[in-house]
Amino acid sequence: MPFIDLETSLPASTFSEDFLKKLCSTTAAVLGKPEDRMNVVVKPDLPMLIAGSCSPAVSLLVSAISVTDTADKNKEHSAKLFQFLTQELGLSQDRIVIRFYPLEPWQVGKKSTVMSFL
């Protein structure tokens, strides 16, 4: 049950339903997870400063169980996610930052319990 949180200074008009679906399908494929388990949130129009600049930027947070827990895995994920984001949003790589957080099954609640018991 991955969580994808995209925070950006880009305007809300940039993020159509089609973009959300592409972000969902791309991150699901990158992480090897089913699309129906993905949770995607886009937060546009945020004031942001990255690398000393307020130029348009994106901060992507990827949290997932068992697929974001090593440097080797995240290096592969990072390359694929950077490719998607630069192509879809027209930003250079220096305007994008990705953070990976590994989750344990007991840290994710669903259906009145936690994933450990589902």
Side-chain angles (χ1 to χ4, degrees):
M1 174 171 281
F3 298 89
I4 307 302
D5 295 289
L6 188 148
E7 297 176 332
T8 181
S9 58
L10 292 168
S13 60
T14 306
F15 303 99
S16 64
E17 186 175 322
D18 185 52
F19 175 83
L20 288 171
K21 289 179 180 180
K22 283 182 186 177
L23 179 59
C24 178
S25 64
T26 299
T27 54
V30 166
L31 299 175
K33 298 287 187 174
E35 284 187 46
D36 64 354
R37 293 266 179 109
M38 302 299 292
N39 297 281
V40 177
V41 176
V42 174
K43 300 173 190 169
D45 295 312
L46 297 174
M48 295 181 78
L49 184 137
I50 291 181
S53 171
C54 292
S55 294
V58 165
S59 175
L60 185 71
L61 172 60
V62 179
S63 305
I65 297 169
S66 75
V67 294
T68 56
D69 55 351
T70 71
D72 288 335
K73 289 177 188 177
N74 291 338
K75 182 180 178 183
E76 288 183 34
H77 302 330
S78 184
K80 293 172 185 174
L81 293 171
F82 268 95
Q83 180 180 6
F84 171 79
L85 293 170
T86 56
Q87 287 177 349
E88 288 294 319
L89 300 176
L91 297 175
S92 63
Q93 288 194 4
D94 66 333
R95 302 307 305 148
I96 301 168
V97 176
I98 302 175
R99 296 173 288 159
F100 296 98
Y101 285 98
L103 295 173
E104 297 295 330
W106 54 267
Q107 293 176 300
V108 180
K110 181 141 175 122
K111 298 182 180 180
S112 300
T113 187
V114 294
M115 293 302 290
S116 300
F117 298 103
L118 294 175

